[in-house]
Amino acid sequence: MALHSPISCPSCGVAIESVSAHIRSLLCPHCDNWVYLGNNGWAASGSFEHALDAPTFIQLGRSGKVEGRAFVVSGRTRLSYDRGYWDEWWLEFEDGQHQWLEEDDGRYRLHDAVADSIEIDNPQDARPGETLVVGGDNWFVTECIRAQVAGTEGALPAAVFPGEQVMCIDAIAQGQKYSIEASGHDVHITRSRVIAGDDFEWSS
Ligand SMILES: [Zn+2]
């Protein structure tokens, strides 16, 4: 796995070792500040009081298998909105791949990243029941949620920080379900599919 040279924590200055090249935000193990890669390099967003409940069986650091592929749970972000919250877990697979696992009320969706360079016309204007032009195609918007990052854990491939606003759009195109998450720093597009809880094998 590709590694950065150690990151110097922007808060405490201590080197953070062994950070994978795709990671854009993480908890400093020395000072417990959440740090993220912004436009001007690594920045600290302060020590965040976590309000993350103990989940049923997914936990940071836990390893398992899904569809025969071994992974470790290496990060989590919790997104809250006016009707509740959901968790997104960052899975690092033994084969070098990474995927988001969305957990919403005991239901799971595994997300594959779609090229980030796709252009979206005004994601902030998306409305359920309308179309959104993505990469020149019409996507049918099924849901739009203005969410907020309510908590973070571990290490993540996106430069998120607690309290940040995120626009979450679900859409259907060519019979597949897509999700768009737009925040101040990035826009991420993923294609997802349902995974049954029984399809996970947990090894520890
Ligand atoms: Zn630190």
Side-chain angles (χ1 to χ4, degrees):
M1 194 175 289
L3 297 179
H4 274 301
S5 44
I7 295 164
S8 176
C9 173
S11 183
C12 69
V14 174
I16 309 172
E17 309 279 349
S18 302
V19 178
S20 301
H22 62 270
I23 293 301
R24 296 288 177 273
S25 55
L26 75 159
L27 188 74
C28 172
H30 308 290
C31 68
D32 280 350
N33 272 261
W34 185 260
V35 301
Y36 66 96
L37 187 59
N39 293 336
N40 300 312
W42 287 88
S45 64
S47 176
F48 183 68
E49 194 60 45
H50 288 261
L52 301 180
D53 307 333
T56 44
F57 55 80
I58 303 180
Q59 285 171 29
L60 193 69
R62 202 166 181 200
S63 57
K65 273 187 183 180
V66 64
E67 298 173 334
R69 301 156 59 221
F71 65 82
V72 173
V73 180
S74 66
R76 164 162 65 156
T77 176
R78 171 166 290 181
L79 291 159
S80 65
Y81 65 117
D82 55 358
R83 283 177 291 148
Y85 66 84
W86 73 94
D87 285 332
E88 296 182 356
W89 299 91
W90 182 238
L91 308 184
E92 301 217 334
F93 287 84
E94 216 171 63
D95 60 13
Q97 295 197 313
H98 321 92
Q99 282 178 296
W100 284 104
L101 175 67
E102 178 186 339
E103 179 187 22
D104 189 0
D105 223 1
R107 283 173 303 181
Y108 304 96
R109 296 191 75 94
L110 205 52
H111 289 251
D112 289 308
V114 174
D116 281 339
S117 53
I118 296 179
E119 257 188 51
I120 307 176
D121 290 353
N122 304 317
Q124 301 297 336
D125 294 340
R127 297 284 178 277
E130 297 182 1
T131 54
L132 184 66
V133 180
V134 181
D137 290 329
N138 281 330
W139 288 17
F140 181 75
V141 176
T142 56
E143 195 165 33
C144 294
I145 294 176
R146 284 180 193 283
Q148 172 167 328
V149 178
T152 51
E153 277 188 321
L156 297 170
V160 299
F161 53 87
E164 185 177 24
Q165 302 293 316
V166 185
M167 179 75 175
C168 302
I169 302 164
D170 284 344
I172 305 280
Q174 289 99 40
Q176 309 239 46
K177 185 171 176 185
Y178 289 87
S179 299
I180 300 164
E181 292 193 357
S183 65
H185 296 274
D186 335 87
V187 176
H188 291 287
I189 306 175
T190 58
R191 180 175 51 237
S192 69
R193 60 184 193 279
V194 172
I195 300 283
D198 293 352
D199 289 344
F200 291 97
E201 296 167 51
W202 297 95
S203 48
S204 56

